[in-house]
Each structure stands twice: as structure tokens, then as C-alpha cells.
Amino acid sequence: MDFFGLDCRFERLDAPVPIFGARVHAAQWSALALAVAEAKGRLVSLWGSDERGAGDGFAVSAAYATADGLLWAKLGLEAERPAYPDISRFFPAAIRMQRAARDLVGVEAEDAGDVRPWLRHGAWPADYFPLRLEHTGQERFEAQADAYPFVLVEGDGVHEIAVGPVHAGTIEPGHFRFSVVGEKVLRLEERLGYKHKGIERRFMGMDTDEGARLAGRVSGDSTVAYAWAYAMAAESLVGVKVPERAAWLRALMLERERVANHLGDLGALGNDAAFGFALAQFSRLREDWLRLNRECFGHRLMMDCVRPGGVARDVDAESCAKLRRQVTAIASEVAELKDIYDEHAGLQDRLVTTGRVTPELAARLGLTGLAGRASGQTADLRADFPWPPYDGLAVAARTHRNGDVAARVAMRFEECFESLRMIDALAAGLPGGAVHEPVLATRDGIGAGWVEGWRGEVFVALETDARGRIVRCHCHDPSWQNWPVLEHAIIGNIVPDFPLINKSFNLSYSGQDL
Amino acid sequence: MWHILKYIARRGRVTEPAPEPLAGTHRPAHLIHDEILAILGRALAIRHVDAGSCNGCELEINALNNPYYNIEGLGIRFVASPRHADLLLVTGPVSRNMEVALRRTYDATPAPKLVVAVGDCGCNGGIFGESYASCGGVSNVIPVDVSVPGCPPSPAEILAGILAAVQARPPSEAVPADFAPGFN
């Protein structure tokens, strides 16, 4: 297919959501970015790869979400000078992805404004690129001095508050540099990458089944979303269709993962506004939820339950009945707690107008997923490109326009109820049949998966060599898009509201550090 | 307020007995409470450090605070600074980018200190192993007293690991015989 009149043939991948792939040349690379931006499309992901094994030099890939589906454009780069046209002028979210691609593969965005390292701190030298084929990924280097140039804010009474990487709660590591006057935040600069543990290098050389376990551990809170996106990629690469029952069970688990996270966040958000009752009650509901996960699927977080070709184990009729009974019980409890939240003036005072991201800003910066929907961005893959079984569920994508913490809380309540409705429908109408179809790549190919996780869209791009071994697997977390927006959401708020605002986004560190 | 109180009253208490240290059977809370007091002379203060996990272990550590496990009721609490901590609860693998931060956190914790490594990755690097970016298990970076395997281990398993570490504390490092809880 041809998109935006670019004279470039995109091939549709064999995936249940519309994903198209094409190789482009440099002029098309820039023209595509401009065309997608003008058509109000989104940048989903950007990553680099070393293709010298196939005699092709390096490559940089970009994935865009358009009204027709996802476009994966790959630009080949010279082995001697791997540089490509910067696309961050169209999509600000590309800045950190371009910096990461340089750190991992050594491909450079020409004329990019910010060229500071992102994932490379001091653990390896600037001329070492872990994803290049001449390296094994097992090299060890002496730690080097790590002097990261933060942007300085100057003026009368301005001072800095440095927080992290080790934070005060049970939370992932990252560094936040606040520039404040009194209590008011003038600027926040994030520095992430502390959890970079070499996941993308680890994928290289695995077979597609081994890769599934690793993909399920990119971000533990989204393990089902990643496992499904990865499985979709592997299945589209081989050309296998999963049995209907397996697809239904996957959706059942994905919606259960969404509810589990929303229950946890709703309690934690109340707690961050000093409403301890909320944490106690929501964490109790979450525990009930996880215990039934363990009973029905064999794992509290449902890790390794989705695998290429289907799901790891079937559920029986008795489990389905339990799942349905729990939906009824939890729905009535959450409804009651929502009334308590709505009536609580002190709580609402903390939530309303705090950490606002206007729809205009959200659109410009590419805010995605749940946080995007709280700021008027309507995208939800389950509603936009309903693949089985979502095509029969009539998913109602909710949006709010206030873009504050209260809107992100409201989104969670509404999505919770919508997911509970879907879980009930899925458990009630589960079709019969097998739950797994063997899938193992034995040849070279490309595949991709794109799934609406609880936080936002999770994307996986997968490439294998002639023996079916993984040569490149890129996993993309929606946190890449949303972290930079958090820096804007805090501006003008007071420092003590940061935990609340941060929690209302609840972004993944592990998913973006890889 | 009436609504909140009614909600609380209707749900009642859900707290369950705590597990045996690193075993399956359950023990009543007051025994554990007394034991922690006998060994430490006060509540056990834990500082959690995520040194590079996938965040799965964090979800289960957070679950320890829910009413079912109610660890504060056992005399265990999470603190915000390593300087206030008796025990570090570390999840990993330890990424190279977190190596220095973990060492500094360990150094900032007053002796005698305990370290519990949580999860398969904390035990030996797990699926991420050792590489240019990962140091592998926690014990490759700081001394570890107890390791709790699992991916992720359940809250009860993590709690059993914490209790095992407290019990394994060498008597010489325990509280002086003349120590009385409270101000002294």
C-alpha cells in the first residue's frame, strides 16, 4: 500500500491489527515524518539496529500511528557514517529515543538539538555500542566519571532539589532535578536510564520462544501487554493465527491486568493525598484480584501466561464462574469507593487542577495511553482497530479534557468499570477449542505487535535471521512518550504535589530504561 | 465520614497470620511481634532499594502493606532513608547504572545491617544475567544475608525471608542484655 503519496510500497504484516512495513530512503524518511505530523498521527517508537550481518550497514526505524494503522519505516544507513535526518522537530517525543538509539547502536540524528547521552551513564565508554555485532554484550568496563549536564535555571532565589535515583518509597529508581522558588516548581528535569540492564542485547540470538519470557519482563506491571505484543510479533513473523479461545483468554488477562493496576493506583493516589483509608481498601481489593489470578492462571501477575501461539494454560468452567462472581463483587465495591472519592471535599481539593496537561500540550508532545485520554487524546487501540476478540466487545474509549490529576483518577474509575464489563462478557462467552498453536520461527522475517496495555500502547518489533534466531527485538513502552510530559505537568505546582502528580501518570522506569 | 466508617465497619478485619520464616505454615502476629522485639528491642525498619528490577517484585513488596499481610502490625515498617534502616530489601539484577547508588545506600545504613535479596534476579541476575549493563545478583555488589527466589516471590515468601534474616542475626550483634525498649 502507498501512504501519503510517498511512492513507497508498504507491505501489510500478518497481524490482527493493521501494521505496515517498508524500507524508505532518506528523503522519504523525512517526508513521512512531516506527512504523519500534518495528518495528526503519532510517533510510536524509534530505534536503531545493526544490519551489517546481512551486508546492509546500519538502520534506523520509526513506527507511526496513523488513521490506517501502524507504519514501520526503516531507513538503511551507511556503515561508515550512520546518520539520519532528525525527526524530533516534528515529534518532540523522538528526542530521548534518538539519544537512546545513539547510545545503543551508534546511529546519529543529524542536527539534533540535544545530544547528551541518555542510557549511557558511566558504565561503558562513549565509543562502545552494545548492540553492534562486533560486541558480545558481555564486555565489562571500569566505571567512568558521570557528569551529566543538567539544564541550569538561574535567577533570584532559585535553588535546586535533587531527588534520586534511590527514592523514599517502594518505587523504581530515577533522578529528578527540580528548580524551585520557595515551594513553586519552575522546572523539572528527569534523568532516567538507571535500570538499563541490557534487555535488547539479551534478545539477540534467542529463539522466539525464549524471547517471550524476556519480553514479559520488560515492565512487570504490564507483563500481559508485553507478552501479547511480543506473541503477536512472533505470530505475524511466522504467519500463524492463534485459536479463537486463546485470543479471548488473552483479552481476559489483559483486562484483568488493567483492573489490577487501576485498583493499585487508585489506592496509592488516595494515599498520596493523605487518604489512608483508600490505600487500605483498594489494596485489599487488589489482593483479592491477584489471588484469583493465581488460582485461575497460575501466577499472581499472569507472567508467562501469554506465549507465542496462544496461552500457557486453559481455564475451566468453574474458574470462569469464579471470575464472573468476582467481577460483580469488585464492581459494587469500586462503585461505592468512587462515591466516597467524589464526596470527599478534602481529597478533591488535592486532585482538581493539580498537574494539568491541556489537550493542546498533550497533542503537541504526543501524550499517549491513559494519561493522553485524560487530556483529550482519544487514541485507544481496542476501539480504533478492534482486533479479535475486541471486535465483538464494542469498547467504549473514554476521554476527559481537564488533564489534571482528577481527570486521570476519573479515567481509572471509568476504565475499571469498562474492563469489568468486558471481563464478564469474555468469561461468559468463552468459545471452545484449543488454546495453543505451535509457533517457532525457523527462517528470517519481520513481525510486529501492537497492544493497548493499561498504561498505553505497547509495541514490539521483531526480526529473525535465516535460522529463526532473534537478530533484533525492540520493545517500546508508552512511558517514553509520557515521561517528558510529566516535566510539563509539574510546572507551577508545588513540590509536595509532585508525588501525587507522578503517581497519577504512574510511568514505567524499567520499560523505558530497557 | 459516615459513609467511610460504615464501609470500614462492614468489611471488618482481613489480616491473616504471618508465615513461618521461609516455610509454609502460619504463625500468629503476636509471636512475631514479640520475637522482633526480643531480637531488636524495637520495630524492624526496612529500606527498599530497587537496583534494576522489572518492577514485578516492587508490586509484591507493596502488597505487604495491604491489610491481608499488615506488616506494620507485626512491628515491621518501611522507612524513607537508609540511615533509619536495619535491613535493606534489594531487588535486582543490579544494573551497572545503579551499582554506585546501591553501594552508597549500603554504606549509609548503620551497622549491624541486614540485606535481603528479593526475586530470581536479586538472587543471581535471573533472566537478565550479567552483561555490559548488569552486575547480576545483589551479592555481586554488597553482602547478602538471605535470598528469596521467585519471579516475583509472593508477599508471604518475601515476609518469610525478612523474618528469616531477623532470626539469623548473630547473637553478638543483637541487642545488649541490659537494653530496655523505649527511651534509654
Side-chain angles (χ1 to χ4, degrees):
Chain A
M1 267 180 87
D2 190 25
F3 293 97
F4 305 114
L6 282 181
D7 191 26
C8 159
R9 261 188 74 78
F10 276 88
E11 296 285 342
R12 179 159 179 168
L13 271 58
D14 198 0
V17 281
I19 301 176
F20 305 86
R23 290 195 84 100
V24 297
H25 54 67
Q28 289 169 330
W29 168 266
S30 300
L32 180 63
L34 174 63
V36 172
E38 283 179 344
K40 305 234 178 296
R42 314 188 302 282
L43 174 72
V44 175
S45 187
L46 181 145
W47 68 100
S49 43
D50 183 351
E51 307 208 318
R52 289 173 297 165
D56 288 339
F58 295 94
V60 61
S61 292
Y64 299 102
T66 70
D68 299 308
L70 184 128
L71 308 184
W72 170 2
K74 188 189 259 193
L75 170 65
L77 306 174
E78 291 166 30
E80 298 74 37
R81 197 182 150 272
Y84 59 93
D86 166 44
I87 59 165
S88 66
R89 54 208 158 110
F90 308 116
F91 301 99
I95 296 172
R96 290 178 181 178
M97 302 181 208
Q98 290 182 164
R99 289 164 67 188
R102 198 264 326 277
D103 289 349
L104 296 179
V105 193
V107 295
E108 306 263 356
E110 282 166 336
D111 308 320
D114 189 346
V115 293
R116 293 174 295 173
W118 182 242
L119 298 178
R120 182 175 67 79
H121 289 192
W124 68 88
D127 60 353
Y128 171 77
F129 302 107
L131 296 190
R132 286 198 174 180
L133 297 175
E134 62 265 32
H135 303 307
T136 62
Q138 290 302 310
E139 294 84 357
R140 292 294 298 244
F141 303 97
E142 279 298 309
Q144 303 172 340
D146 174 31
Y148 186 77
F150 286 95
V151 174
L152 261 184
V153 178
E154 286 171 303
D156 242 9
V158 178
H159 68 282
E160 285 189 346
I161 305 174
V163 183
V166 179
H167 295 299
T170 302
I171 180 177
E172 300 181 74
H175 185 93
F176 300 120
R177 186 69 59 99
F178 298 92
S179 299
V180 302
V181 168
E183 283 282 34
K184 191 170 153 185
V185 178
L186 298 178
R187 187 174 197 282
L188 161 65
E189 185 172 358
E190 297 153 359
R191 188 192 187 195
L192 305 175
Y194 287 93
K195 302 191 95 175
H196 177 72
K197 45 195 174 282
I199 290 178
E200 299 203 291
R201 178 73 223 194
R202 204 83 188 155
F203 270 118
M204 292 162 72
M206 284 183 165
D207 70 35
T208 49
D209 262 357
E210 284 175 298
R213 244 191 119 239
L214 184 54
R217 283 158 182 79
V218 170
S219 182
D221 55 18
S222 303
T223 180
V224 176
Y226 274 98
W228 194 352
Y230 177 89
M232 195 188 280
E235 288 147 11
S236 69
L237 188 147
V238 178
V240 166
K241 231 176 135 59
V242 293
E244 198 186 6
R245 185 176 176 86
W248 281 58
L249 286 170
R250 285 177 176 184
L252 184 65
M253 290 193 269
L254 186 67
E255 297 311 315
R256 282 191 67 87
E257 179 170 88
R258 192 180 319 275
V259 171
N261 281 291
H262 288 354
L263 291 175
D265 286 352
L266 284 168
L269 278 158
N271 197 49
D272 279 342
F275 192 33
F277 159 84
L279 180 65
Q281 299 304 337
F282 275 109
S283 65
R284 176 177 62 82
L285 299 182
R286 181 180 152 91
E287 181 69 19
D288 290 338
W289 197 254
L290 299 190
R291 288 182 179 192
L292 194 60
N293 277 351
R294 181 170 167 76
E295 201 181 318
C296 296
F297 305 103
H299 194 285
R300 284 165 56 93
L301 306 178
M302 298 175 290
M303 271 181 177
D304 305 323
C305 290
V306 174
R307 48 187 261 218
V311 295
R313 76 180 224 190
D314 205 353
V315 295
D316 55 20
E318 196 194 328
S319 298
C320 282
K322 277 188 190 157
L323 291 168
R324 295 193 66 193
R325 277 201 299 278
Q326 190 185 40
V327 163
T328 315
I330 297 271
S332 84
E333 296 237 23
V334 174
E336 203 174 331
L337 289 167
K338 182 173 186 300
D339 285 344
I340 290 175
Y341 266 49
D342 290 345
E343 287 169 5
H344 198 299
L347 178 65
Q348 292 303 324
D349 185 48
R350 290 290 307 277
L351 306 182
V352 176
T353 73
T354 306
R356 268 202 86 194
V357 178
T358 61
E360 297 70 39
L361 183 67
R364 204 164 79 232
L365 298 180
L367 189 67
T368 188
L370 174 132
R373 291 192 286 277
S375 290
Q377 309 305 301
T378 52
D380 183 333
L381 299 182
R382 298 170 304 160
D384 299 344
F385 307 106
W387 70 100
Y390 289 110
D391 51 354
L393 289 170
V395 184
R398 318 272 162 164
T399 47
H400 281 262
R401 294 191 58 82
N402 280 350
D404 52 4
V405 175
R408 290 184 283 275
V409 168
M411 279 302 307
R412 285 180 167 91
F413 273 117
E414 287 165 22
E415 289 199 3
C416 215
F417 293 126
E418 179 68 356
S419 292
L420 288 168
R421 177 188 72 79
M422 284 192 261
I423 291 167
D424 191 57
L426 288 162
L430 205 57
V435 295
H436 189 253
E437 180 77 34
V439 173
L440 195 60
T442 51
R443 57 171 182 83
D444 59 328
I446 66 164
W450 194 24
V451 166
E452 189 75 32
W454 72 269
R455 188 180 276 121
E457 53 198 346
V458 166
F459 172 74
V460 172
L462 182 65
E463 297 175 65
T464 54
D465 65 12
R467 294 177 305 140
R469 296 270 161 179
I470 297 172
V471 285
R472 186 78 174 89
C473 179
H474 176 70
C475 293
H476 178 87
D477 196 277
S479 303
W480 279 101
Q481 273 83 353
N482 293 4
W483 274 119
V485 186
L486 179 64
E487 294 183 340
H488 290 262
I490 182 69
I491 293 173
N493 287 261
I494 57 172
V495 178
D497 271 341
F498 179 70
L500 190 62
I501 298 170
N502 190 21
K503 193 68 195 175
S504 74
F505 285 86
N506 193 8
L507 303 175
S508 176
Y509 299 69
S510 182
Q512 99 94 53
D513 292 351
L514 291 169
Chain B
M1 198 55 179
W2 171 240
H3 201 159
I4 296 173
L5 292 173
K6 207 170 66 179
Y7 189 97
I8 293 171
R10 230 176 323 130
R11 268 69 186 182
R13 274 192 199 205
V14 296
T15 305
E16 297 171 338
E20 193 72 22
L22 288 180
T25 53
H26 290 260
R27 290 194 307 162
H30 68 271
L31 286 184
I32 293 177
H33 193 277
D34 292 349
E35 210 168 86
I36 290 174
L37 211 57
I39 296 171
L40 289 174
R42 57 189 153 75
L44 174 71
I46 299 180
R47 171 66 257 196
H48 158 256
V49 184
D50 178 346
S53 79
C54 77
N55 78 31
C57 288
E58 278 59 45
L59 296 174
E60 296 298 52
I61 292 171
N62 266 323
L64 279 175
N65 287 310
N66 77 36
Y68 283 98
Y69 305 104
N70 186 25
I71 56 161
E72 290 225 5
L74 300 176
I76 301 172
R77 64 197 181 95
F78 287 93
V79 293
S81 165
R83 298 195 192 282
H84 304 157
D86 306 301
L87 184 151
L88 295 181
L89 195 61
V90 187
T91 62
V94 183
S95 69
R96 292 290 315 275
N97 288 349
M98 275 301 287
E99 192 180 351
V100 173
L102 177 61
R103 281 220 173 86
R104 285 187 188 163
T105 307
Y106 181 80
D107 292 343
T109 310
K113 48 195 160 190
L114 295 166
V115 176
V116 174
V118 174
D120 287 347
C121 304
C123 291
N124 58 24
I127 192 166
F128 306 107
E130 292 177 29
S131 68
Y132 74 96
S134 166
C135 304
V138 176
S139 62
N140 288 346
V141 180
I142 57 172
V144 169
D145 295 279
V146 173
S147 297
V148 184
C151 188
S154 68
E157 287 164 339
I158 297 171
L159 182 52
I162 292 169
L163 297 176
V166 173
Q167 287 193 336
R169 192 175 183 126
S172 61
E173 291 179 2
V175 188
D178 58 350
F179 179 88
F183 294 103
N184 56 71

